Amino acid sequence: MSQLLQDVVGEFSKLPGIGRRTALRLAMHLLKMEADSVGEMTRSIDRFRNEIRHCNCCNNLSDRERCPICEDPTRDRSTICVVEQVADLLSIEHTRQYRGLYHVLGGVISPMQGIAPSDLKIDLLLERIARGEVREVILAISTSVEGETTSFYLMNRLNQYPAVKVSTIARGIGFGDELEYVDELTITHALINRREISPK
Amino acid sequence: MSQLLQDVVGEFSKLPGIGRRTALRLAMHLLKMEADSVGEMTRSIDRFRNEIRHCNCCNNLSDRERCPICEDPTRDRSTICVVEQVADLLSIEHTRQYRGLYHVLGGVISPMQGIAPSDLKIDLLLERIARGEVREVILAISTSVEGETTSFYLMNRLNQYPAVKVSTIARGIGFGDELEYVDELTITHALINRREISPK
């Protein structure tokens, strides 16, 4: 195999979820693309890797010191939604239903993987709350053991601000999920947290 | 969303089989990689796109005028295996069972997609055969309508060299395939081309 082809297949294979066969298909696709388009792609990748920063307020990815959400004057600055990672923030933004701010922890507490609370942006969150503008913190952290540990840890730390309400997003049966295939813990939660629908 | 992130997600999404969600996951992975590794990756992509050439003998991808297979003095120069694309050549090479040369057509004849025989490297193949060294041409082209048309066209063109044997790779039931799920045409071929296994 040509060295150039071997190199590019090797590089693509390093990406998650891309095996050698897919890597080869991607390499062949590069030859069908205009050379300029390939150049644009690699420039975007390099610029992203070298120039992207973290918002110094909420830790979201950002081109500047502050991310567009933190800088948006129309957002509700009294509510902060705490998420593990940027992808979660984007999923929530996609709904267009949430108008508050965010805080990206950058992971969850995991003694197994050696991730301590100090490795996450928790102090930055507490500093934001200490400034006094925040009235509610919504925890939108996953229900894994590590996620629950992180939520519990945050709840304890947030106790020192009794004026701040702490909530978590609702757990239950997803729209379109079939009850038959939903795990028992989720069904149990959904039953306990049932909502009355008869008119009051 | 940050512009830099949006750009890189957009670029990844242009690749085949990569949707926006996968593109986002790849972008996030870039941040976990060393900046140097990302630079190496983009350099490989650029070099591959700009410097790769086609072997002027067999049309395989190559770093130089001749590909490593054509230059290998230990390969059997009397046999040429004709394939549609470089990926097919690599699959055959992977078996380590074939020691002849190759010829990469660069596609199949397809009036629907406007691909005429002149768009493929057929003349280059005939020139190689005209030099007189070749004794067998193995057609390893897919069994699609376009592939069969291409094989038929090549057979006709190769008729002018009666000293050259033309063969096609065997069609039949693949190892591990379950007869229950194999299509009727393949089963019919496999029956007609059955091999006697009793001792002669």
Side-chain angles (χ1 to χ4, degrees):
Chain A
M1 208 204 281
S2 128
Q3 191 58 47
L4 290 167
L5 177 59
Q6 213 163 311
D7 288 349
V8 79
V9 167
E11 292 294 339
F12 276 135
S13 304
K14 287 181 195 162
L15 295 173
I18 296 185
R20 284 192 74 80
R21 208 172 276 262
T22 308
L24 183 63
R25 196 159 49 87
L26 293 179
M28 292 304 160
H29 183 79
L30 294 177
L31 298 182
K32 289 184 197 146
M33 288 168 70
E34 295 290 332
D36 285 352
S37 304
V38 174
E40 249 170 59
M41 183 176 83
T42 52
R43 263 197 310 281
S44 296
I45 294 172
D46 284 329
R47 284 198 57 199
F48 174 72
R49 182 61 186 82
N50 297 320
E51 295 176 26
I52 197 82
R53 323 167 53 156
H54 289 272
C55 172
N56 64 13
C57 178
C58 77
N59 194 38
N60 183 14
L61 289 179
S62 177
D63 303 348
R64 285 174 302 247
E65 292 217 330
R66 283 279 164 104
C67 78
I69 295 171
C70 284
E71 284 202 324
D72 184 344
T74 71
R75 310 271 316 203
D76 169 15
R77 314 193 80 75
S78 71
T79 311
I80 293 180
C81 180
V82 179
V83 294
E84 287 172 41
Q85 50 180 359
V86 175
D88 300 337
L89 179 158
L90 294 172
S91 289
I92 295 176
E93 277 299 277
H94 221 74
T95 67
R96 297 173 184 274
Q97 297 300 314
Y98 178 69
R99 296 300 304 162
L101 303 180
Y102 291 93
H103 194 82
V104 179
L105 292 177
V108 280
I109 299 168
S110 169
M112 292 282 284
Q113 288 179 54
I115 302 170
S118 58
D119 296 318
L120 307 176
K121 296 290 176 186
I122 293 173
D123 288 340
L124 191 64
L125 173 65
L126 295 171
E127 281 165 31
R128 287 175 75 182
I129 292 165
R131 272 178 238 132
E133 215 178 356
V134 179
R135 284 201 303 270
E136 180 172 1
V137 174
I138 304 169
L139 302 179
I141 299 171
S142 64
T143 49
S144 61
V145 174
E146 291 84 359
E148 296 281 18
T149 305
T150 310
S151 291
F152 189 72
Y153 179 88
L154 285 172
M155 255 160 48
N156 275 324
R157 295 286 302 268
L158 292 167
N159 264 345
Q160 58 179 302
Y161 304 100
V164 177
K165 191 165 96 182
V166 181
S167 61
T168 72
I169 51 172
R171 306 298 177 181
I173 317 295
F175 287 93
D177 281 4
E178 291 184 60
L179 213 57
E180 187 179 352
Y181 302 110
V182 174
D183 66 289
E184 290 156 27
L185 194 62
T186 303
I187 296 180
T188 307
H189 269 260
L191 279 173
I192 293 169
N193 300 307
R194 65 189 179 278
R195 277 178 54 197
E196 195 171 334
I197 51 169
S198 58
K200 276 184 187 168
Chain B
M1 209 204 277
S2 128
Q3 191 59 46
L4 290 167
L5 177 59
Q6 213 164 312
D7 288 349
V8 79
V9 167
E11 293 293 339
F12 276 135
S13 304
K14 287 180 193 164
L15 295 172
I18 295 185
R20 284 193 73 80
R21 208 173 276 262
T22 307
L24 184 63
R25 196 157 49 87
L26 293 179
M28 292 305 161
H29 183 79
L30 293 177
L31 298 183
K32 287 184 197 146
M33 288 168 70
E34 295 289 332
D36 286 352
S37 305
V38 174
E40 250 170 59
M41 183 176 82
T42 54
R43 263 199 308 280
S44 295
I45 295 173
D46 284 329
R47 283 196 58 195
F48 174 72
R49 181 62 186 82
N50 297 321
E51 295 175 28
I52 196 83
R53 322 168 53 157
H54 289 273
C55 172
N56 64 11
C57 177
C58 76
N59 194 38
N60 183 14
L61 289 180
S62 177
D63 303 349
R64 286 173 301 244
E65 293 216 329
R66 284 280 164 105
C67 78
I69 295 172
C70 285
E71 285 203 322
D72 184 344
T74 70
R75 309 274 312 204
D76 169 14
R77 314 193 80 77
S78 72
T79 311
I80 292 180
C81 180
V82 179
V83 294
E84 288 172 39
Q85 50 181 359
V86 175
D88 300 338
L89 179 158
L90 294 172
S91 289
I92 296 175
E93 277 300 279
H94 221 75
T95 67
R96 298 173 184 272
Q97 297 300 313
Y98 178 69
R99 295 300 303 162
L101 302 181
Y102 291 92
H103 194 82
V104 180
L105 291 177
V108 280
I109 299 168
S110 170
M112 292 283 283
Q113 289 179 54
I115 302 170
S118 57
D119 296 319
L120 307 176
K121 297 290 176 186
I122 292 173
D123 288 339
L124 190 64
L125 173 65
L126 296 170
E127 281 166 32
R128 288 176 74 182
I129 293 164
R131 272 178 237 132
E133 214 179 359
V134 179
R135 284 202 303 271
E136 179 171 1
V137 173
I138 303 169
L139 302 179
I141 299 171
S142 64
T143 49
S144 62
V145 175
E146 291 84 359
E148 296 282 18
T149 305
T150 309
S151 291
F152 189 72
Y153 179 88
L154 285 173
M155 254 160 50
N156 275 323
R157 295 287 301 270
L158 293 168
N159 264 346
Q160 58 178 304
Y161 304 101
V164 176
K165 192 166 98 182
V166 181
S167 60
T168 71
I169 51 172
R171 307 297 177 181
I173 317 295
F175 287 93
D177 281 5
E178 289 184 60
L179 214 57
E180 186 179 355
Y181 302 110
V182 174
D183 67 289
E184 290 155 27
L185 193 63
T186 302
I187 296 180
T188 307
H189 269 260
L191 279 173
I192 293 170
N193 300 307
R194 65 189 179 278
R195 278 178 56 194
E196 196 172 330
I197 51 168
S198 59
K200 277 184 186 168

